[in-house]
Amino acid sequence: MMNKIKPPEFDTQFAADIFHGLTTYPKSLSSKYFYDKRGDELFQQIMHLPEYYLTGKEFSILQEYKEQIGLAFTSDKGFDLIELGAGDGKKTKILLRHFLEEKFSFRYLPVDISDNVLLQLSASLKEELPGIAVEPQQGMYREVLDRLTDYKERKKVILFLGSNIGNLSQEEAVSFLKKISSSMSSEDLFFMGADQKKNPQKVLDAYNDKTGVTAAFNKNLLTRINRELDANFDLDAFLHWPVYDPETGMAKSFLVSKKAQTVQINSLNLEVEFAAWESIHTEISQKYDDTSIAWLAEESGLKMIRSFSDSENNFKNYIFQKS
């Protein structure tokens, strides 16, 4: 049940998405809004947690196979390395450092929705790897890809690390990869990370660490709504709750209301009513295997030409061409 008066217009996309997400049933909010300044800090902490295996496994893959990856990326005319969702660049710096040592001709174009992240990344690259030509691209992936679609002067290599593909539903993933494919020429490459199906408990632990950082990361979305939209969410009245379905390979995160309550969102002129144990769906994290990745590629106009795995097959990185 909700008592609401729709405001005449929304000042921001954030406001519009929060309004629509909390006035539909079941309630849901986009995980892209996790990443304000505090969210960025919390996610950096998550990536260093012992339970959060994804970062370490992909790090080991890039370290072990950097030479093979570099040989696949380079070309006579050089290449442009376009990274979607660059973050702090910790893993990418393994490749960037190797490319510098090998004297490859390349530009690095990190793309992120967070301007704060791009500023920090640019500063760290200037200090650690000053020889790299860096051109940050702030914005949504699709916007940046639209700008780069007509660029055909030399080879493009698009990076999508960290199993970010897992944050999309199956339909969204196909749509997104079709966009990637349409922005590529026959020479271009797409390099993507994908978390693999595995012991269900290992997956659950990654999204519900003992120290509560992942819970704080999930609840920070409510803090952001409180701050930016003048709301009064009580974080202690919500429970962080991850689930995992080993059949489909889908992990989901929820915020569950511990009691019947009404939340005021003043900037939206909105009252949101929660029943006891009602949930807000905040995130998905799809786990893959080679069969499902091959299906995604075929549906999207891509062809998988190579893959790299860690020693336990927990994580894989795939190289695709336009089919």
Side-chain angles (χ1 to χ4, degrees):
M1 294 291 294
M2 298 176 194
N3 299 314
K4 58 183 184 291
I5 302 174
K6 184 174 181 178
E9 61 183 18
F10 298 108
D11 293 334
T12 63
Q13 189 61 49
F14 176 67
D17 289 348
I18 297 304
F19 182 91
H20 293 302
L22 293 178
T23 56
T24 55
Y25 183 83
K27 296 179 175 69
S28 65
L29 296 173
S30 172
S31 60
K32 70 184 179 183
Y33 293 122
F34 284 153
Y35 299 97
D36 61 358
K37 184 175 182 180
R38 178 57 178 158
D40 293 339
E41 293 170 351
L42 287 168
F43 189 66
Q44 296 308 313
Q45 293 179 37
I46 287 172
M47 290 195 294
H48 292 90
L49 291 170
E51 296 94 338
Y52 195 78
Y53 58 86
L54 290 82
T55 303
K57 296 301 183 184
E58 189 171 35
F59 192 95
S60 69
I61 292 170
L62 299 179
Q63 187 66 51
E64 181 175 357
Y65 296 105
K66 60 188 177 184
E67 292 184 6
Q68 293 95 316
I69 293 168
L71 289 173
F73 287 5
T74 192
S75 71
D76 292 340
K77 294 181 180 179
F79 62 97
D80 288 322
L81 190 66
I82 304 161
E83 182 172 15
L84 306 180
D88 66 354
K90 179 181 178 182
K91 290 175 292 189
T92 313
K93 287 174 184 176
I94 297 171
L95 299 179
L96 297 177
R97 185 171 287 106
H98 175 69
F99 298 164
L100 276 181
E101 291 171 352
E102 295 297 314
K103 297 182 171 54
F104 289 165
S105 173
F106 72 100
R107 287 189 308 168
Y108 177 47
L109 287 73
V111 180
D112 206 283
I113 191 174
S114 171
D115 191 48
N116 176 60
V117 164
L118 289 174
L119 288 172
Q120 292 182 2
L121 175 59
S122 297
S124 71
L125 286 171
K126 186 176 181 180
E127 180 179 345
E128 298 173 37
L129 301 169
I132 293 178
V134 183
E135 297 182 15
Q137 307 285 318
Q138 196 276 330
M140 302 293 289
Y141 301 157
R142 288 178 178 273
E143 298 169 359
V144 176
L145 288 170
D146 281 339
R147 298 201 297 265
L148 297 173
T149 296
D150 295 331
Y151 178 78
K152 297 182 174 66
E153 291 181 17
R154 63 177 183 175
K155 184 177 185 178
K156 297 194 298 289
V157 179
I158 303 171
L159 293 188
F160 197 48
L161 303 180
S163 200
N164 286 320
I165 191 68
N167 296 134
L168 305 177
S169 68
Q170 188 177 84
E171 182 179 345
E172 290 169 337
V174 170
S175 175
F176 171 73
L177 293 178
K178 282 182 177 178
K179 183 67 176 177
I180 295 287
S181 177
S182 69
S183 72
M184 295 170 63
S185 69
S186 59
E187 183 188 23
D188 297 339
L189 296 177
F190 178 50
F191 186 84
M192 182 180 77
D195 195 15
Q196 302 291 292
K197 293 180 180 180
K198 59 182 64 66
N199 186 319
Q201 191 60 56
K202 189 175 182 69
V203 175
L204 278 175
D205 289 347
Y207 299 96
N208 197 23
D209 67 285
K210 295 176 182 177
T211 56
V213 181
T214 44
F217 181 63
N218 199 7
K219 290 185 179 184
N220 183 62
L221 181 50
L222 303 183
T223 301
R224 180 175 181 180
I225 297 171
N226 284 349
R227 182 182 67 252
E228 296 187 21
L229 299 178
D230 189 20
N232 66 342
F233 276 100
D234 176 5
L235 272 62
D236 291 335
F238 287 85
L239 179 69
H240 164 66
W241 193 257
V243 297
Y244 177 61
D245 182 349
E247 181 179 32
T248 63
M250 182 172 286
K252 295 183 179 181
S253 291
F254 298 89
L255 290 167
V256 182
S257 179
K258 297 179 183 178
K259 61 183 180 181
Q261 56 180 310
T262 301
V263 174
Q264 306 282 341
I265 306 181
N266 295 317
S267 292
L268 301 181
N269 196 22
L270 177 67
E271 287 187 347
V272 184
E273 295 185 10
F274 289 89
W277 310 117
E278 185 178 359
S279 64
I280 308 172
H281 177 209
T282 57
E283 184 180 28
I284 65 170
S285 185
Q286 181 68 45
K287 311 306 172 187
Y288 286 99
D289 54 24
D290 286 347
T291 301
S292 52
I293 287 292
W295 179 86
L296 269 184
E298 184 177 357
E299 290 292 307
S300 309
L302 294 168
K303 176 176 64 176
M304 192 255 287
I305 59 174
R306 190 163 183 184
S307 66
F308 307 91
S309 175
D310 68 278
S311 59
E312 298 175 314
N313 202 38
N314 281 316
F315 198 94
K316 280 193 173 184
N317 288 96
Y318 298 86
I319 298 179
F320 302 89
Q321 287 179 328
K322 189 182 182 77
S323 61

